[in-house]
Amino acid sequence: MKNNKLLLEIKNLRTYFYTQKGVVKAVDDLDLSLEKGKTLCIVGESGCGKSVTSLSIMQLIQSPPGKIVSGTIKLNGENLLDLSENEMRKIRGNKISMIFQEPMTSLNPVFRIGDQISEVYIVHHKLNKAEALQKSIEMLKLVGIPSPEKRVFDYPHQLSGGMRQRVMIAMSLASPNPLLLLADEPTTALDVTIQAQILQLMNELKERIGMSIILITHDMNVVSQMADQVIVMYAGKKIEEANVIDLFENPLHPYTNGLLNSIPSNKKYRNRKRLETIRGTVPNLLHIGKGCPFANRCDYAEDICEKEFPPDKYFENNHLVRCHFVDKIIKGRE
Ligand code: SF4
């Protein structure tokens, strides 16, 4: 039966990079779905495939060396991978917008911020310059920039990091039809207080406009504040997926457990003197074998882990985990 609430559905996505040293399987057989008005967080360490997933959705993978080798990415039922570059250009910055960790790299330093927001209104809404400027001021006001009538004439370097991120959010919302916001580590470069403000702003706008958000982060505190659904990625693979409450209350994969145990504010570990860490590092994606990619860091690993990738196993509330020994791990906790 068709789910009318579904906005985005990705199936069997594989995005590979063909380098001189070999093939890097940055995203390997990823499925995900996102309902309208919901926030999906994708978490994992650097190099796990989170950012490549969002760049694949936008079809901004640099080719060569990158290539989407298989899969479908359906937005409201339309496979984006079937669209021409021209058709895709109409979707970027319109139905799907993206904000990055450092907004300075996305804003053009030689244009006033008002001109950059106005461009969205001129191109997508066909407004004239004066009307577009007025709309830009309204947008800056909406994202909480003080004195927007003056700041609209500022250049990016005249704004703080938090203000620049607000401008990026304003630009993404200026589109006629914002359905999906892809936010790639949007608050990592910001102070904690500004980070909280930006997250709150994203949540408020999501409620008001009804758009969906894919938030990419390695910060589990951010996940706990923002997510409805969470996907944990490791070495290009999805290894666990659950709603945010189940994931935090009952993390099943040893890697997810490790991520949660390394949060300083995690109340389970508040009385400990030392913070837990996950030993080792993410493996080189050039040398991933057939087995579980977490095997070299996992305390539960056995021979089969090196040889076979674990099958899908579902628990209550569609909680997915991919680990050969998940039952044993759950038993050990009882
Ligand atoms: Fe650890 Fe094996 Fe489970 Fe991978 S499959 S997480 S190596 S126990």
Side-chain angles (χ1 to χ4, degrees):
M1 205 173 70
K2 199 180 164 204
N3 179 356
N4 288 329
K5 290 185 189 163
L6 206 59
L7 176 72
L8 182 76
E9 187 178 35
I10 296 181
K11 285 222 179 293
N12 309 112
L13 179 68
R14 289 185 172 88
T15 305
Y16 294 175
F17 290 82
Y18 296 85
T19 72
Q20 283 183 338
K21 289 184 178 165
V23 181
V24 172
K25 296 178 177 177
V27 174
D28 200 14
D29 204 12
L30 178 71
D31 291 347
L32 72 78
S33 55
L34 174 62
E35 290 192 353
K36 291 170 188 163
K38 299 285 182 191
T39 297
L40 169 73
C41 284
I42 304 180
V43 295
E45 289 161 281
S46 301
C48 285
K50 313 180 302 280
S51 296
V52 175
T53 300
S54 64
L55 291 171
S56 301
I57 295 169
M58 288 294 250
Q59 289 182 55
L60 289 174
I61 296 292
Q62 195 183 353
S63 176
K67 194 174 177 208
I68 297 175
V69 294
S70 73
T72 52
I73 301 174
K74 288 187 179 171
L75 184 76
N76 275 336
E78 182 179 42
N79 186 5
L80 300 182
L81 298 181
D82 288 341
L83 301 182
S84 66
E85 176 51 28
N86 233 345
E87 290 167 322
M88 200 53 217
R89 215 172 286 142
K90 288 180 192 149
I91 287 184
R92 283 188 214 113
N94 179 9
K95 291 181 180 171
I96 310 177
S97 300
M98 198 163 177
I99 56 173
F100 297 91
Q101 182 180 135
E102 180 34 86
M104 200 60 186
T105 55
S106 316
L107 290 167
N108 191 327
V110 298
F111 287 102
R112 298 175 199 274
I113 57 165
D115 291 335
Q116 298 187 54
I117 304 172
S118 290
E119 196 185 338
V120 182
Y121 285 106
I122 292 166
V123 172
H124 290 299
H125 298 256
K126 312 291 177 213
L127 298 186
N128 66 35
K129 247 182 146 183
E131 291 166 336
L133 188 67
Q134 193 49 46
K135 283 280 180 195
S136 303
I137 293 169
E138 285 171 24
M139 246 331 145
L140 290 179
K141 199 171 175 189
L142 181 72
V143 296
I145 293 203
S147 312
E149 305 81 7
K150 286 187 192 148
R151 303 313 296 253
V152 76
F153 298 110
D154 282 354
Y155 289 93
H157 74 269
Q158 293 174 282
L159 303 175
S160 66
M163 290 289 177
R164 286 197 288 262
Q165 201 56 289
R166 284 172 191 264
V167 171
M168 283 307 298
I169 294 173
M171 280 174 78
S172 66
L173 298 176
S175 68
N177 199 5
L179 298 177
L180 174 62
L181 177 66
L182 296 171
D184 190 350
E185 305 269 8
T187 56
T188 305
L190 305 176
D191 291 344
V192 183
T193 47
I194 307 296
Q195 173 175 324
Q197 290 172 16
I198 294 289
L199 294 177
Q200 194 186 348
L201 172 67
M202 284 169 62
N203 261 341
E204 280 170 18
L205 295 172
K206 182 184 87 165
E207 298 290 319
R208 205 181 304 177
I209 298 170
M211 68 178 177
S212 309
I213 299 175
I214 291 184
L215 177 60
I216 289 167
T217 180
H218 61 268
D219 185 334
M220 296 306 271
N221 280 321
V222 170
V223 175
S224 67
Q225 290 171 54
M226 297 291 289
D228 295 299
Q229 187 78 4
V230 187
I231 285 179
V232 184
M233 285 188 79
Y234 190 80
K237 302 260 194 200
K238 175 164 74 173
I239 51 153
E240 184 158 5
E241 177 171 6
N243 69 56
V244 67
I245 294 170
D246 284 351
L247 192 98
F248 275 78
E249 288 188 351
N250 191 23
L252 296 177
H253 196 284
Y255 178 61
T256 314
N257 220 12
L259 286 178
L260 289 170
N261 289 349
S262 56
I263 305 176
S265 57
N266 189 334
K267 61 177 185 289
K268 265 162 76 185
Y269 296 92
R270 218 169 260 164
N271 297 327
R272 295 207 169 178
K273 289 205 172 101
R274 289 180 69 123
L275 207 56
E276 301 218 350
T277 55
I278 306 171
R279 67 182 156 84
T281 52
V282 179
N284 184 336
L285 294 185
L286 279 168
H287 308 301
I288 297 283
K290 285 196 173 126
C292 171
F294 191 58
N296 65 334
R297 304 173 78 184
C298 180
D299 294 336
Y300 302 93
E302 295 190 22
D303 282 355
I304 190 174
C305 302
E306 301 272 359
K307 293 181 191 135
E308 288 174 27
F309 187 75
D312 294 359
K313 187 140 199 190
Y314 285 92
F315 293 83
E316 218 175 305
N317 297 333
N318 248 353
H319 187 156
L320 166 75
V321 64
R322 289 167 161 172
C323 168
H324 288 297
F325 297 108
V326 61
D327 293 318
K328 193 169 133 189
I329 291 168
I330 293 170
K331 255 201 165 144
R333 287 186 197 159
E334 284 166 3

